[in-house]
Amino acid sequence: MEMDFKYIQVRERILDWYKDNRNDYPWRKSRSLYKILVTEILLQKTIAINVKNIYFDFFTKYKNFKAIYNGDINILESDIKGLGLSNKRAKILKSLSLLIITEYDGKIPDEPEILKIVNGIADYVSNAYACFGLNLRTFFYDVNIKRFIQRIFSDQETKLKRETINSELDKMLPKTGFKHMYWAILDFGNKICTKSKPKCALCPISDSCNYFLNQI
Ligand code: SF4
């Protein structure tokens, strides 16, 4: 298959699949930069349904960074215990709120890279925030996105480097509406292209997938 065509086909079919199969998570509808950034921290190393379960209560109680800054860390930890790693997560939220309240007058700095000053915030959170909050076409990946790219575009033995994954994302993401592509890949990895026993028989891009084609 001609390579450019493959990226276009994967993009169109995955976005098409997403229209009928997307998860209706509240943070995907939010326009609040505060909620978008904090949600990315809550979503790290846990499953999305856990975040959905606490989402409304959490943001009812913690309406802004000041509420997190002023709150007791033990209570914050208890409020997010359903996500796991609550100790670590609470420390990140506290450090982030300290930075934003004391250095940026309560507003998230315009340059997302600055967020990485906070211990526990790395490329994924800052780039996901830039994409979902600021509508910037950034590249980032978790295990699901990496697996998706590996199976479709690579052989299964190669250890993919960051630059390779970013380059594949660049070729695959649409020029606008890229956030929908990220959400589509995340949902697709959760429902179809799962870590074990991917549901290849139900997959709309199996004829573009190296993993699948090498098994026939
Ligand atoms: Fe994943 Fe299978 Fe689809 Fe390939 S064919 S993308 S392995 S579900």
Side-chain angles (χ1 to χ4, degrees):
M1 186 181 294
E2 208 263 305
M3 233 9 202
D4 282 354
F5 178 70
K6 177 166 171 166
Y7 291 104
I8 294 166
Q9 188 175 73
V10 168
R11 179 193 309 145
E12 289 181 350
R13 288 189 188 171
I14 288 295
L15 285 171
D16 217 40
W17 174 89
Y18 181 64
K19 278 183 203 152
D20 296 326
N21 297 284
R22 67 178 152 210
N23 284 321
D24 192 21
Y25 294 128
W27 53 88
R28 292 185 182 174
K29 295 183 200 128
S30 178
R31 297 273 178 88
S32 157
L33 295 182
Y34 162 69
K35 287 185 184 174
I36 290 169
L37 174 54
V38 170
T39 299
E40 285 306 322
I41 293 165
L42 300 180
L43 281 167
Q44 281 192 298
K45 295 191 169 63
T46 193
I47 53 173
I49 192 71
N50 288 341
V51 178
K52 189 177 179 185
N53 289 341
I54 67 157
Y55 186 86
F56 289 109
D57 286 346
F58 182 90
F59 287 111
T60 300
K61 186 166 182 179
Y62 301 98
K63 292 192 188 306
N64 47 40
F65 282 111
K66 198 162 190 195
I68 297 177
Y69 176 76
N70 288 331
D72 181 293
I73 191 163
N74 295 315
I75 295 173
L76 175 61
E77 211 178 303
S78 164
D79 289 334
I80 57 176
K81 69 176 182 302
L83 308 180
L85 301 172
S86 53
N87 176 287
K88 191 173 171 213
R89 224 181 283 278
K91 277 188 187 146
I92 297 171
L93 290 172
K94 275 294 208 182
S95 304
L96 177 63
S97 62
L98 176 72
L99 174 79
I100 288 175
I101 296 295
T102 60
E103 303 284 332
Y104 292 92
D105 202 21
K107 297 197 180 66
I108 303 171
D110 292 338
E111 180 47 72
E113 285 283 302
I114 292 171
L115 299 171
K116 294 197 284 184
I117 294 171
V118 175
N119 197 7
I121 294 186
D123 285 335
Y124 185 96
V125 167
S126 92
N127 284 333
Y129 164 72
C131 174
F132 300 134
L134 306 178
N135 206 32
L136 298 174
R137 192 172 177 274
T138 52
F139 307 127
F140 55 94
Y141 57 90
D142 66 355
V143 286
N144 293 298
I145 296 171
K146 186 176 179 185
R147 183 175 66 246
F148 179 84
I149 287 170
Q150 177 108 38
R151 283 178 173 167
I152 296 164
F153 298 108
S154 177
D155 61 69
Q156 306 314 301
E157 291 74 41
T158 303
K159 201 169 180 321
L160 292 186
K161 293 185 178 142
R162 173 183 298 275
E163 308 83 67
T164 310
I165 297 172
N166 287 350
S167 162
E168 298 291 21
L169 283 168
D170 191 17
K171 286 182 252 181
M172 189 174 51
L173 293 177
K175 297 295 176 209
T176 59
F178 33 82
K179 65 176 79 169
H180 297 283
M181 188 71 190
Y182 273 114
W183 289 331
I185 297 171
L186 289 167
D187 289 354
F188 190 75
N190 186 248
K191 294 178 179 179
I192 302 288
C193 195
T194 46
K195 184 178 175 202
S196 60
K197 298 191 183 150
K199 300 174 184 68
C200 302
L202 301 175
C203 178
I205 51 170
S206 56
D207 60 348
S208 296
C209 176
N210 290 353
Y211 174 95
F212 179 75
L213 295 173
N214 287 331
Q215 296 204 345
I216 298 172

